[in-house]
Amino acid sequence: MLRNDIAVVLCVLVLFAATGTKAIRCYQCSSDTDPAKEDLCGAYTKFDKERNVPIECNSEESHMPGTFCVKYTEQSPRGFIWDGRWRQVIRRCASVASTGVTGVCNWGVHENGVFWQECYCSEDACNTASNLTSISTLLLTVCSAIVTLSHFK
């Protein structure tokens, strides 16, 4: 029984160490504010982490305070504008997810045919990629499996 208690305590300590107590840092940019002929927010080219710096979400520098990050993408259908398809990307801090959970992406189509996708994550600088994952979720799953297996031995 002592061995099971040690496994539970170790899992709890690993989770606390992984989540930490510092404020989250997210990339903050919007393709509609990029200078002409530049794609700093990664609407058409790969997002460049060297040209963008994650900001602390609870600082004055943040446009919106928050506890996790979000990447919001919109893309028009072909022929929506004369020169073809357009894309817009917004990366920022967020405090409320439309689904209530992080580590997931949601998508849909507006009435005018514009495709949208929003991805939420809760790790530092995690709003760079299109498929966002959460390390905390992975650790929680692994720890839960360890505790469950140790109790059924």
Side-chain angles (χ1 to χ4, degrees):
M1 186 65 179
L2 181 62
R3 185 174 155 175
N4 292 342
D5 293 338
I6 291 172
V8 170
V9 169
L10 283 176
C11 281
V12 169
L13 289 175
V14 166
L15 282 174
F16 278 119
T19 56
T21 57
K22 295 173 116 181
I24 191 166
R25 298 172 59 82
C26 301
Y27 289 102
Q28 179 175 272
C29 64
S30 178
S31 56
D32 65 348
T33 60
D34 284 347
K37 303 201 185 237
E38 287 195 58
D39 184 18
L40 300 178
C41 205
Y44 298 97
T45 59
K46 185 176 184 222
F47 183 71
D48 187 359
K49 292 187 268 185
E50 300 297 321
R51 295 183 73 185
N52 295 279
V53 177
I55 54 110
E56 191 170 305
C57 287
N58 292 328
S59 69
E60 289 183 21
E61 195 176 7
S62 175
H63 295 293
M64 177 180 289
T67 55
F68 54 90
C69 304
V70 64
K71 176 187 173 193
Y72 185 78
T73 306
E74 285 186 325
Q75 180 171 306
S76 73
R78 184 158 300 284
F80 189 75
I81 298 180
W82 303 279
D83 62 349
R85 192 176 286 194
W86 58 264
R87 292 188 70 180
Q88 178 179 359
V89 174
I90 300 170
R91 301 169 198 271
R92 62 178 173 81
C93 301
S95 57
V96 177
S98 62
T99 59
V101 294
T102 62
V104 297
C105 293
N106 302 305
W107 62 273
V109 178
H110 294 296
E111 291 178 8
N112 62 358
V114 173
F115 169 81
W116 62 269
Q117 179 184 41
E118 55 186 9
C119 298
Y120 300 96
C121 57
S122 57
E123 305 296 325
D124 280 343
C126 61
N127 58 343
T128 60
S130 57
N131 294 325
L132 305 174
T133 58
S134 173
I135 293 173
S136 296
T137 305
L138 179 64
L139 283 174
L140 181 62
T141 304
V142 169
C143 284
S144 297
I146 291 171
V147 169
T148 302
L149 291 174
S150 68
H151 279 294
F152 288 113
K153 275 190 169 184

